[in-house]
Amino acid sequence: MQNNFRKWRAWGRGGSRSSVGYASGKRISNIVSYSITTVTALLLVGVIISLYKTRSNYVNLSLSRVFITIIATIVGVFTNAKRVEAFGDTAAGGNEQVLF
């Protein structure tokens, strides 16, 4: 695997030299993509656990709405998904919650 980090020197305050790292845009994009995927997956697991722990129907419906809204926001804002894809992802998450 190729190392995408390049080091270069910059002058800091007082004339001291410090190392400044550089990361390519592709590497940053990959890190953000993996982070968003992990957060979304954890939210899907979190809603199942929270629905299992609560017994009130009102609380279950409220939790479902909150989690679906958060997941739809994450998919819509942080990805390049089209509206149809975001809707499909949200519908799949809602379907999982209904089946549970």
Side-chain angles (χ1 to χ4, degrees), residues 14-56:
S16 65
R17 296 188 78 167
S18 62
S19 294
V20 177
Y22 173 81
S24 68
K26 181 176 168 110
R27 185 164 181 101
I28 292 173
S29 176
N30 286 340
I31 290 171
V32 170
S33 175
Y34 293 140
S35 300
I36 295 300
T37 303
T38 303
V39 168
T40 306
L42 289 175
L43 281 171
L44 289 173
V45 171
V47 71
I48 291 174
I49 292 171
S50 64
L51 289 175
Y52 179 74
K53 296 285 184 183
T54 58
R55 296 293 176 214
S56 170

Side-chain angles (χ1 to χ4, degrees), residues 81-98:
K82 297 176 186 170
R83 194 180 320 173
V84 173
E85 295 166 341
F87 180 75
D89 185 38
T90 305
N95 188 26
E96 171 196 359
Q97 294 169 19
V98 168

